[in-house]
């Protein structure tokens, strides 16, 4: 393929999720509500953890980074998708598309690895609580988070570089609501076998690392919890385990379904619904999953609600809505 044909596309156009006007308005209202809950929940979780001295532990540090990842990859997709739902034309520049995918992929990959780090952290908490402060020092936590973000960025850069080096010499209409690999591969007139193999290898390494890390950590956690004599202690430990495993199962299960399906059963319409779930629904659910059964978060929230400045802020917001 000649080089000039490869660079002929300067922008892409999203076809969106529905062409029915009534359906668009309903979908817009629903997704706007979900995105606002996601925004308030994750931003609120980050602020709450940073402000409350009782939450200055590695477990809540990692939880604040989970909220940050959720916020970043959902914001890379959400606002543009909401604007496009009510817009007649839905263009995105070629490099804007690359940037959107790079950000979304970086933080989605980082979240995969972060879930494994959180499982390891909880294992250290349960197994040796007296040595926890030493084994999970600030330096160790910083190194773990640097590794998580570095691996996420490397994986995203590989996919972005390969995907946007393809030739797009035909239609520039993406049958999706954001820039993702499968619909981009369908537009390309290049051979995408290398790209698809790379997706399988890179995502496979990240998923395998994350899932194996979670499973190994939880095997040790179950052994450690079984030795706890206090019923209340066992309940608290298993309650935290249940919250984390719920988040892992939802997020990892969705990504495995998205990127490890056989091409013979691939469906763009199914892909859109699954993408909506993991880009907006999961970031909305995570703060709820981790806060509803967490006494520390509830107590911190109660203390925040009793602060005078917070009451004034809420009153101001209510008056101006």
């Amino acid at each position: 393929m000649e080089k000039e044909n490869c660079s002929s596309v300067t922008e892409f156009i999203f076809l969106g999720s529905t062409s029915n006007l009534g359906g668009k308005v309903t979908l817009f209202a629903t997704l706007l509500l979900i995105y606002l809950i996601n925004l308030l929940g994750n931003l609120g979780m980050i602020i709450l953890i940073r402000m409350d001295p009782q939450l200055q532990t590695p477990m809540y540090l990692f939880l604040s980074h989970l909220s940050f990842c959720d916020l970043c990859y959902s914001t890379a997709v959400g606002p543009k998708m909401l604007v496009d739902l009510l817009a007649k034309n839905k263009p995105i520049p070629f490099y804007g598309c690359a940037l959107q995918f790079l950000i979304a992929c970086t933080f989605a990959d980082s979240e995969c690895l972060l879930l494994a780090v959180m499982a390891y952290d909880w294992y250290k908490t349960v197994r040796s609580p007296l040595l926890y402060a030493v084994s999970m020092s600030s330096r160790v936590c910083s190194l773990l988070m640097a590794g998580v973000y570095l691996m996420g960025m490397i994986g995203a850069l590989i996919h972005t570089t390969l995907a946007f080096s393809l030739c797009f010499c035909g239609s520039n209409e993406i049958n999706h609501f954001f820039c993702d690999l499968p619909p981009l591969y369908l537009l390309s007139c290049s051979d995408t076998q290398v790209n698809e193999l790379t997706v399988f290898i890179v995502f496979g390494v990240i998923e395998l690392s994350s899932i194996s890390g979670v499973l190994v950590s939880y095997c040790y956690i179950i052994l450690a919890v079984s030795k706890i004599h206090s019923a209340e202690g066992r309940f608290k430990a298993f309650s935290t385990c249940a919250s984390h495993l719920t988040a892992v199962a939802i997020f990892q299960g969705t990504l495995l379904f998205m990127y490890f399906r056989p091409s013979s059963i691939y469906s763009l319409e199914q892909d859109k619904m699954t993408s909506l779930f993991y880009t907006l629904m999961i970031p909305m659910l995570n703060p709820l999953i981790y806060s509803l059964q967490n006494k520390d978060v509830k107590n911190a929230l109660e203390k925040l609600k009793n602060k005078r400045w917070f009451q004034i802020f809420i009153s101001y917001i209510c008056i101006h809505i």
Side-chain angles (χ1 to χ4, degrees):
M1 186 63 60
E2 293 182 1
K3 184 68 180 175
E4 56 268 20
N5 289 333
C6 295
S7 58
S8 60
V9 173
T10 58
E11 68 175 17
F12 294 106
I13 297 172
F14 295 127
L15 296 183
S17 51
T18 179
S19 57
N20 180 271
L21 182 59
K24 281 184 178 181
V25 174
T26 304
L27 187 60
F28 174 83
T30 304
L31 294 180
L32 178 61
L33 179 62
I34 290 171
Y35 179 70
L36 289 176
I37 295 172
N38 160 27
L39 192 67
L40 291 173
N42 285 296
L43 199 56
M45 186 69 80
I46 293 169
I47 293 170
L48 190 67
I49 290 170
R50 298 298 180 186
M51 290 185 62
D52 195 290
Q54 300 300 317
L55 301 181
Q56 302 302 308
T57 64
M59 182 176 78
Y60 292 108
L61 168 71
F62 295 138
L63 186 53
S64 70
H65 280 283
L66 181 71
S67 289
F68 178 69
C69 287
D70 282 336
L71 201 58
C72 287
Y73 78 74
S74 62
T75 300
V77 174
K80 171 65 176 169
M81 179 190 63
L82 288 168
V83 170
D84 286 348
L85 271 173
L86 299 181
K88 185 177 180 180
N89 297 315
K90 306 173 180 65
I92 185 170
F94 182 86
Y95 291 109
C97 186
L99 181 62
Q100 183 189 57
F101 175 75
L102 177 65
I103 294 171
C105 187
T106 296
F107 289 101
D109 284 357
S110 297
E111 182 161 330
C112 280
L113 297 168
L114 179 56
L115 290 170
V117 169
M118 291 172 72
Y120 173 74
D121 171 68
W122 185 236
Y123 155 68
K124 299 297 286 186
T125 305
V126 173
R127 183 170 183 258
S128 51
L130 296 178
L131 298 174
Y132 176 67
V134 177
S135 58
M136 295 300 290
S137 63
S138 297
R139 182 173 179 274
V140 171
C141 293
S142 297
L143 288 173
L144 285 170
M145 287 313 307
V148 162
Y149 287 125
L150 181 62
M151 290 297 292
M153 175 64 80
I154 290 172
L157 280 171
I158 291 171
H159 293 308
T160 305
T161 302
L162 289 176
F164 290 89
S165 298
L166 294 171
C167 293
F168 299 98
C169 48
S171 172
N172 67 338
E173 294 182 337
I174 299 178
N175 190 9
H176 215 298
F177 56 86
F178 79 104
C179 294
D180 200 9
L181 296 180
L184 281 170
Y185 292 164
L186 291 177
L187 290 184
S188 175
C189 47
S190 303
D191 185 357
T192 60
Q193 284 187 352
V194 173
N195 298 69
E196 291 168 3
L197 181 61
T198 304
V199 168
F200 184 80
I201 293 172
V202 175
F203 274 139
V205 168
I206 290 173
E207 285 290 315
L208 185 62
S209 302
S210 178
I211 293 172
S212 59
V214 169
L215 291 177
V216 170
S217 295
Y218 271 94
C219 286
Y220 284 108
I221 287 170
I222 291 168
L223 289 174
V225 170
S226 64
K227 297 177 183 178
I228 297 175
H229 300 294
S230 164
E232 183 182 350
R234 285 198 301 270
F235 176 78
K236 183 178 180 181
F238 279 124
S239 177
T240 303
C241 291
S243 298
H244 185 251
L245 283 175
T246 302
V248 170
I250 293 173
F251 187 75
Q252 301 283 22
T254 305
L255 287 186
L256 286 172
F257 178 79
M258 278 281 296
Y259 296 105
F260 289 90
R261 282 175 293 174
S263 56
S264 58
I265 64 168
Y266 180 77
S267 164
L268 270 175
E269 293 306 314
Q270 194 177 51
D271 186 50
K272 289 180 189 178
M273 295 306 297
T274 310
S275 298
L276 269 178
F277 185 74
Y278 93 83
T279 54
L280 290 182
M281 288 295 293
I282 290 177
M284 180 193 73
L285 291 173
N286 275 344
L288 300 177
I289 290 170
Y290 282 100
S291 62
L292 288 178
Q293 298 296 325
N294 192 305
K295 287 184 179 180
D296 293 334
V297 173
K298 288 180 181 178
N299 291 337
L301 192 56
E302 284 297 322
K303 286 191 288 184
L304 184 63
K305 283 162 61 178
N306 293 328
K307 291 185 181 292
R308 179 67 179 165
W309 67 266
F310 183 77
Q311 294 172 354
I312 294 171
F313 174 73
I314 293 298
S315 300
Y316 177 83
I317 294 295
C318 292
I319 290 170
H320 288 83
I321 288 180

